Amino acid sequence: MRLVGTVLALTGALAFLGPTATASADAASPFDVSDPTVGRLDPALLAAIQQAATAASAEGITMTITSGWRSPEFQQQLLDEAIRTYGSYNAARQYVQTPEHSKHVSGQAVDIGGKSADTWLIANGARFGLCQIYANELWHFELAADAHGNCPPVLPNAAS
């Protein structure tokens, strides 16, 4: 499992190291379905990410998945770490969902890595049904576009 890459990506987000998530050495290819973080994604989300990665590649952008499907236990571990980092549940919830509400746990969310991949997906993702969900997480995408290819308004953070 891509535990190290996920922790590094989350740590980077929590430490405010910058607005763009970067791919770690543990980042997974969107086509590596043998990796459970990719293979356990919702099939529609997986197909959309693979189509987007192919289109991005044609423009010279490498797209990776720094975090995809997560077990409920791992999601709780991430929340617990965020509580220690931020000092309270409410502060941590701005960045990390509970296992019961995390779209990662249901396989319906991915965190994208790769130089400029997040900005490419923000600009182009709707044509694949992929939308940025949280303003404070440029790398987090879900299959959320409507039938006309419009994404919902971006929420301020995961606690919204």
Side-chain angles (χ1 to χ4, degrees):
M1 201 151 116
R2 304 282 185 227
L3 177 62
V4 173
T6 300
V7 171
L8 289 174
L10 180 65
T11 301
L14 296 176
F16 296 103
L17 293 178
T20 304
T22 57
S24 73
D26 288 350
S29 163
F31 301 95
D32 184 6
V33 296
S34 67
D35 182 323
T37 63
V38 177
R40 294 189 70 176
L41 290 174
D42 174 82
L45 175 60
L46 178 60
I49 285 293
Q50 289 174 339
Q51 292 167 4
T54 298
S57 180
E59 296 182 31
I61 304 289
T62 299
M63 187 177 296
T64 60
I65 296 176
T66 59
S67 186
W69 172 83
R70 299 175 186 158
S71 69
E73 296 80 14
F74 183 58
Q75 186 68 30
Q76 184 63 52
Q77 180 183 342
L78 294 175
L79 180 58
D80 293 344
E81 180 60 34
I83 292 168
R84 284 190 293 277
T85 298
Y86 287 102
S88 76
Y89 174 84
N90 288 337
R93 283 282 296 107
Q94 292 182 42
Y95 303 96
V96 182
Q97 279 284 6
T98 64
E100 298 79 19
H101 293 100
S102 172
K103 296 284 185 149
H104 285 282
V105 171
S106 62
Q108 297 176 327
V110 293
D111 293 347
I112 297 301
K115 184 175 171 135
S116 303
D118 52 2
T119 54
W120 186 92
L121 201 52
I122 289 168
N124 297 284
R127 69 183 192 195
F128 305 99
L130 297 164
C131 302
Q132 176 191 3
I133 301 300
Y134 307 119
N136 68 336
E137 294 186 19
L138 300 179
W139 52 87
H140 180 97
F141 291 86
E142 298 175 15
L143 199 57
D146 66 19
H148 303 288
N150 299 308
C151 289
V154 175
L155 299 171
N157 58 55
S160 301

